[in-house]
Amino acid sequence: MAFKVNDNVTWVGKIDWELRKFHGEELSVHKGSTYNSYLVRGGNKTALIDTIWRPFAREFITELKKVIDLSEIDYIVANHAESDHSGSLPELLREIPDTPVYCTNAGVKSLRGHYHQDWNFQPVKTGDKIDLGSKELIFVEAKMLHWPDSMFCYLTGDNILFPNDAFGQHYASEYMFNDLVDQDELYKEAIKYYANILTPFSKMVTAKIKEVVGLNLPVEMICPSHGVIWRKDPLQIVNKYMEWADHYQENQVTIIYDTMWDGTRRAAEAIASGIKEANSSINIKLYNAARSDTNDIVTEIFKSKGILVGSPTINKGILHSIASLMEMAKGLNFQQKKGAAFGCYGWSGESVKMINGMLEEAGFALINKDGLRMLWNPDEEAIADCVAYGKEIGAALIS
Ligand code: FEO
């Protein structure tokens, strides 16, 4: 499948309807994804921007040959070395081995590290360009958005930004343009993508957007490497990224727990009722971490001003769904969010202290340094303590 983005740019990627996990098993993608590759004809010369994931390499080459004789590709641009974009390079370069590959210096290292090939690398820096005849492709390094090698490029004349992973979504759709798809679905996937992939790099997101805006280049379209193309009001997603990168939070608290015999679940619900009493406007969401999608919970944490994390004690530790989630939260380096812990215990009772430590390590400011521990299954008195704890949390989250 291929389609024209405009008269000069053709999409030659792959819609992966079956994909449900990305980055190995790390990231859920409920609506599949797309790997976007673009063929740019500039009058005299033709450039291919990125390829697609290795399992589809043969299909990619077959489809690409229907659009162009491969020998007519003058330049290959590798905006990012991660294998969902570079995975078809070995197959492609077996057919056109001398074609220059434009990427950053870090991209050369990364591509060599992945494929151990001595391709015709042409390292570029911000401001370098290639002449396509009537148009140019200008390169902009985008270090840590989201890998050291990441790069954007910009097509003059057509005023199209190709930002690779930035502004993408894991969202399979035959429509492929932002104005044609369901807006709720689109933004649900865009914010999940930001929360789970770009959160740790928010400072760089802000700085890079300011840098690119400072270049005063008109942007008529944004063609990311995943999901739909931003054709209608393309700067809407840039403005959204500025918002998300700036310690984003909604008026929301998320209670995340795991439970063995329902004690910690009952505590979670009692805490929720206390929060509601003290702070009636806040959106309270509860998730059993063992029964919910971890990446969807991460998105809810991203949207929250505070979280509560609960686990009973087991074997002097905590339940593994909570341990796993907190490890992910630590890596994402959330900023300016509050946290609190709770959990049942029968004898040793370490869970709350452990969760407090994990919350602090992940950058959450503790609302209550002790947290709330309940001995055995909460009785009426313990449930009342949970409600009181919820009131304290709710009051602390009034902005
Ligand atoms: Fe879509 Fe960083 O790869």
Side-chain angles (χ1 to χ4, degrees):
M1 171 190 165
F3 65 86
K4 280 196 164 294
V5 175
N6 70 7
D7 288 344
N8 309 305
V9 179
T10 306
W11 179 95
V12 288
K14 169 73 185 172
I15 301 177
D16 189 348
W17 289 97
E18 280 197 352
L19 192 74
R20 289 296 176 267
K21 290 284 184 176
F22 193 79
H23 285 155
E25 297 295 312
E26 194 69 2
L27 176 63
S28 65
V29 289
H30 304 314
K31 296 205 170 292
S33 192
T34 76
Y35 317 106
N36 299 340
S37 170
Y38 300 96
L39 192 68
V40 181
R41 290 184 170 92
N44 297 336
K45 301 283 188 182
T46 298
L48 180 74
I49 301 176
D50 293 320
T51 67
I52 70 170
W53 193 27
R54 188 196 290 254
F56 302 106
R58 187 80 313 256
E59 180 181 336
F60 173 67
I61 302 296
T62 304
E63 293 298 311
L64 189 57
K65 282 179 175 173
K66 293 178 186 170
V67 178
I68 189 169
D69 180 331
L70 297 188
S71 66
E72 291 173 14
I73 297 174
D74 300 290
Y75 311 115
I76 296 169
V77 176
N79 273 333
H80 179 27
E82 199 166 5
S83 49
D84 49 326
H85 310 297
S86 66
S88 301
L89 279 176
E91 190 99 14
L92 178 64
L93 285 163
R94 259 194 292 278
E95 305 231 15
I96 45 172
D98 300 324
T99 311
V101 178
Y102 290 78
C103 58
T104 60
N105 272 311
V108 176
K109 285 186 200 161
S110 218
L111 287 167
R112 282 208 173 109
H114 274 82
Y115 303 109
H116 312 288
Q117 298 291 319
D118 202 17
W119 292 324
N120 178 12
F121 290 113
Q122 300 293 321
V124 292
K125 292 188 164 52
T126 295
D128 289 349
K129 50 185 78 163
I130 48 180
D131 189 356
L132 302 177
S134 60
K135 303 163 195 302
E136 291 177 326
L137 264 181
I138 304 174
F139 301 109
V140 180
E141 292 167 273
K143 190 175 176 181
M144 299 320 296
L145 291 184
H146 67 125
W147 272 25
D149 67 284
S150 297
M151 180 170 83
F152 299 173
C153 56
Y154 175 83
L155 180 65
T156 63
D158 291 344
N159 305 330
I160 300 178
L161 182 68
F162 298 90
N164 193 261
D165 279 331
F167 312 124
Q169 334 89 45
H170 288 304
Y171 182 30
S173 168
E174 292 284 345
Y175 287 122
M176 286 305 298
F177 288 100
N178 72 311
D179 50 306
L180 302 181
V181 299
D182 181 296
Q183 299 300 293
D184 287 343
E185 279 189 355
L186 171 59
Y187 270 98
K188 196 172 165 196
E189 295 308 325
I191 195 171
K192 179 178 178 180
Y193 185 101
Y194 189 97
N196 282 275
I197 298 172
L198 289 159
T199 296
F201 310 111
S202 287
K203 269 190 190 163
M204 280 80 105
V205 169
T206 308
K208 186 53 60 182
I209 289 176
K210 285 183 177 168
E211 180 193 325
V212 173
V213 169
L215 298 173
N216 283 320
L217 299 167
V219 176
E220 289 178 28
M221 227 184 288
I222 296 177
C223 292
S225 59
H226 297 290
V228 301
I229 292 164
W230 300 91
R231 167 174 79 176
K232 182 178 179 190
D233 182 18
L235 293 182
Q236 63 179 283
I237 190 63
V238 178
N239 294 331
K240 211 34 122 169
Y241 265 44
M242 287 299 275
E243 217 181 296
W244 291 339
D246 187 19
H247 310 116
Y248 182 74
Q249 47 187 245
E250 298 176 10
N251 189 24
Q252 176 175 327
V253 57
T254 305
I255 303 175
I256 306 144
Y257 64 91
D258 198 349
T259 191
M260 288 191 288
W261 297 109
D262 272 350
T264 303
R265 176 188 64 77
R266 289 175 54 236
E269 291 177 5
I271 291 169
S273 72
I275 295 174
K276 198 74 190 164
E277 274 189 54
N279 188 340
S280 60
S281 66
I282 198 164
N283 188 3
I284 306 166
K285 296 189 182 178
L286 281 80
Y287 291 91
N288 178 325
R291 295 181 179 179
S292 309
D293 181 281
T294 304
N295 304 106
D296 290 342
I297 295 177
V298 163
T299 310
E300 297 303 332
I301 295 174
F302 178 74
K303 293 193 284 186
S304 298
K305 53 170 69 168
I307 65 170
L308 279 111
V309 181
S311 170
T313 298
I314 180 168
N315 299 332
K316 299 182 181 172
I318 61 175
L319 292 177
H320 71 85
S321 72
I322 296 296
S324 161
L325 181 75
M326 291 311 295
E327 178 63 19
M328 196 175 274
K330 183 175 73 173
L332 289 168
N333 193 23
F334 291 108
Q335 303 280 314
Q336 297 186 15
K337 295 187 189 294
K338 294 177 178 167
F342 64 99
C344 296
Y345 69 104
W347 52 102
S348 60
E350 291 90 342
S351 70
V352 168
K353 194 172 176 192
M354 288 178 70
I355 293 169
N356 270 341
M358 290 171 163
L359 281 167
E360 286 195 298
E361 203 182 358
F364 292 84
L366 293 183
I367 295 170
N368 181 309
K369 296 220 179 289
D370 296 325
L372 182 66
R373 298 196 314 161
M374 292 133 291
L375 184 60
W376 299 115
N377 209 9
D379 58 11
E380 262 184 43
E381 194 180 331
I383 289 293
D385 288 345
C386 291
V387 174
Y389 191 54
K391 285 184 188 172
E392 179 191 342
I393 306 293
L397 295 176
I398 294 173
S399 47

